[in-house]
């Protein structure tokens, strides 16, 4: 292994931070795509924002299966590189990384087919789920334009995992930053138009997102092709060749990741659907609070991705004590950041929500006030959210994904959602009650993930002591 993979808590913190900050900024940039859509559509109308929120929640829920298998590239490639850098392993690890990346992409494309078929009928599905027919129709229009960006987005995620395993996260950050600017420009022009042309409205926001995803994939493909060190992997070379063993590994690791993501995305999507019962103001407030909380979550998610890479590299190299240290360092970094953001959300909630809405809109003041209440609750669960994200990333570095999925099922759906529904509808707390339930679910999952990492990492380190 390279010398920088060496020992020491401070050294590990420096290496993890060096890897995590570009990954976190990449996540923030990716999330900025959704935030940009929310801001543009919020200025279009409260109804447009509410419709896009309903559509986006369905979109992310159906994206989870393919995204999970794309994310499986991260731990697979990190462990392959760590194993290959042991003395005497030659260049076979290059072939293994190529096959791993290719299999992750193939698996994602396979799982995208049913998702795209369902998303094409998003409007009808939302009506069947009891949503307002007008909002459901607008959401369907938005999703039909945005859904085609799923294909390039999954390719981007696989390439990002490859670059993270190579400890080269910078290119993904650069191309995502360019895509954010492009999405803002495309979105504004396509939604509102220019000159005498009035634009496409909510349809334009979906088209802009698809164009941004195409730009991200194209940018990374160009980077990999033009870099001699990265190009030697020939990631798309003989793409049609089948590798059943590697494909099975991708599904074994990736499907539980998909399941965990689906459970987490699904609980927030279910909360958004439940918010529909309280009207457009509640849906818009939920959208603002969720976008803001998700924005802060991008940093611990990046730290968790760095933990996957660091733990995977060290575990693949046989340094399990180092892998344990890497996981704990990452968890500490994630917890520290989320404590700081919790303070910000609690103290500045009203100011944050006001930035999302056009003050001339009749319902803007009510949406901003409710959004501030929800952000206060979000501030309370920030620490738990950060810890569970980083601990899950560390566990993925050990290719442990099935049990964390079960933890998510218990925390989010077994306890969190029932508590939220009970508080919202039976106890009369309304939208705030739903968010209290979400906070409880996150706290339970965080505790279980932390305990799982503590046990597995200690057992692994002790086995070679």
């Amino acid at each position: 292994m390279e010398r920088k993979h060496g020992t020491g808590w401070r050294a590990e913190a420096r290496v993890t931070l060096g890897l995590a900050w570009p990954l976190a900024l990449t996540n923030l940039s990716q999330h900025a795509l959704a935030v940009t859509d929310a801001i543009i559509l919020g200025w279009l109308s409260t109804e447009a924002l509410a419709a896009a929120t309903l559509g986006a929640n369905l979109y992310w829920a159906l994206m989870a299966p393919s995204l999970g298998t794309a994310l499986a590239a991260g731990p697979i490639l990190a462990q392959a590189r760590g194993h290959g850098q042991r003395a005497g392993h030659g260049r076979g690890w290059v072939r293994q990384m190529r096959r791993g990346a290719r299999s992750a992409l193939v698996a994602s494309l396979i799982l995208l087919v049913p998702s795209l078929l369902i998303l094409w009928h998003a409007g009808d599905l939302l009506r069947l789920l009891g949503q307002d027919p007008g909002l459901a129709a607008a959401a369907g229009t938005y999703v039909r334009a945005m859904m085609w960006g799923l294909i390039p987005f999954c390719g981007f995620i696989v390439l990002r995992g490859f670059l993270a395993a190579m400890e080269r996260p910078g290119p993904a950050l650069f191309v995502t930053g360019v895509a954010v600017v492009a999405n803002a420009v495309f979105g504004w022009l396509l939604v509102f138009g220019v000159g005498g042309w009035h634009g496409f409205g909510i349809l334009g926001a979906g088209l802009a997102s698809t164009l941004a995803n195409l730009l991200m994939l194209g940018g990374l493909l160009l980077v990999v092709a033009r870099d001699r060190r990265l190009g030697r992997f020939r990631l798309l070379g003989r793409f049609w060749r089948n590798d059943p063993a590697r494909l099975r590994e991708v599904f074994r690791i990736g499907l539980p990741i998909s399941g965990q993501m689906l459970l987490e995305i699904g609980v927030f999507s279910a909360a958004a659907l439940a918010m529909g019962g309280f009207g457009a103001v509640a849906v818009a407030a939920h959208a603002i609070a969720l976008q803001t909380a998700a924005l802060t979550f991008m940093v611990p998610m990046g730290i968790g991705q760095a933990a996957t890479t660091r733990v995977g590299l060290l575990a693949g190299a046989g340094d399990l004590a180092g892998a344990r240290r890497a996981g704990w360092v990452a968890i500490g970094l994630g917890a520290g950041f989320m404590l700081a953001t919790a303070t910000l959300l609690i103290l500045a909630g009203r100011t944050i929500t006001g930035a999302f809405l056009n003050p001339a809109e009749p319902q803007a003041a009510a949406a901003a006030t409710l959004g501030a209440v929800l952000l206060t609750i979000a501030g309370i669960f920030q620490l738990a959210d950060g810890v569970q994200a980083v601990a899950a990333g560390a566990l993925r570095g050990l290719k442990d994904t099935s049990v964390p999925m079960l933890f998510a099922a218990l925390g989010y759906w077994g306890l969190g959602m029932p508590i939220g529904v009970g508080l919202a509808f039976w106890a009369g707390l309304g939208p705030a009650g739903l968010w209290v339930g979400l906070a409880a679910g996150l706290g339970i999952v965080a505790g279980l993930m932390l305990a799982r990492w503590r046990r597995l990492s200690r057992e692994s380190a002790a086995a070679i002591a």
Side-chain angles (χ1 to χ4, degrees), residues 8-367:
W9 291 85
R10 288 186 180 180
E12 181 58 47
R14 285 194 298 271
V15 174
T16 299
L17 281 172
L19 183 58
W21 75 261
L23 290 170
L25 287 177
T26 301
N27 292 334
L28 286 167
S29 298
Q30 288 176 302
H31 185 68
L33 296 171
V35 173
T36 301
D37 284 355
I39 292 174
I40 290 174
L41 292 173
W43 280 84
L44 179 63
S45 71
T46 301
E47 288 74 17
L49 175 59
T53 300
L54 292 174
N57 276 284
L58 186 61
Y59 170 91
W60 283 102
L62 289 169
M63 181 184 188
S66 55
L67 183 56
T69 49
L71 287 170
I76 289 172
L77 299 181
Q79 285 209 18
R81 182 176 177 231
H83 183 72
Q85 289 180 338
R86 295 185 194 180
H89 281 277
R91 295 176 54 83
W93 62 280
V94 172
R95 182 173 61 255
Q96 294 303 315
M97 290 189 70
R98 177 171 61 250
R99 289 178 176 177
R102 187 168 56 200
S103 296
L105 182 56
V106 170
S108 295
L109 294 176
I110 291 171
L111 294 176
L112 268 179
V113 174
S115 295
L116 292 174
L117 290 174
I118 296 172
L119 286 172
W120 185 255
H121 299 284
D124 295 331
L125 181 57
L126 288 169
R127 277 195 298 273
L128 289 174
L129 292 173
Q131 298 305 302
D132 176 81
L135 289 179
T141 299
Y142 178 63
V143 170
R144 281 193 174 186
M146 186 171 59
M147 59 185 267
W148 303 109
L150 282 174
I151 298 171
F153 183 69
C154 286
F156 170 82
I157 293 298
V158 171
L159 289 177
R160 190 188 67 176
F162 165 70
L163 291 171
M166 295 298 295
E167 298 178 285
R168 296 273 301 276
L173 171 59
F174 176 76
V175 299
T176 308
V178 172
V180 170
V181 177
N183 183 64
V185 174
F186 293 154
W188 191 268
L189 293 176
L190 291 172
V191 170
F192 294 106
V194 61
W197 178 55
H198 298 294
F200 294 115
I202 194 171
L203 173 66
L207 292 172
S209 295
T210 292
L211 291 174
N213 284 322
L214 283 167
L215 182 61
M216 288 193 297
L217 175 61
L220 282 196
L221 285 173
L222 184 63
V223 167
V224 172
R226 298 191 64 175
D227 187 294
R228 281 195 297 178
R229 186 180 173 215
L230 300 176
R232 66 188 171 127
F233 287 88
R234 295 182 293 108
L235 293 181
L236 297 182
R238 297 182 180 179
F239 182 78
W240 59 88
R241 293 189 64 179
N242 190 21
D243 188 342
R246 187 64 60 166
L247 195 60
R248 283 194 298 270
E249 183 184 27
V250 168
F251 281 122
R252 179 178 61 82
I253 296 172
L255 286 178
I257 296 176
S258 300
Q260 183 181 339
M261 291 179 60
L262 187 59
L263 289 164
E264 185 170 358
I265 293 171
V267 78
F268 283 100
S269 298
L273 293 173
M275 286 291 179
F278 296 104
V281 168
V283 174
H286 174 79
I288 293 168
L290 186 58
Q291 291 285 3
T292 305
L295 186 66
T296 64
F297 177 73
M298 295 300 104
V299 175
M301 177 185 280
I303 297 172
Q305 290 162 349
T308 298
T309 298
R310 292 295 300 150
V311 171
L313 283 169
L314 293 165
D319 184 4
L320 297 180
R324 181 172 187 263
R325 179 172 55 246
W328 282 118
V329 165
I331 290 169
L333 291 172
F337 175 83
M338 291 303 258
L339 280 174
T341 59
T343 303
L344 177 64
L345 294 186
I346 291 171
L347 296 180
R350 188 64 177 79
T351 302
I352 293 170
T353 56
F356 281 83
L357 297 163
N358 183 353
E361 275 285 308
Q363 297 178 308

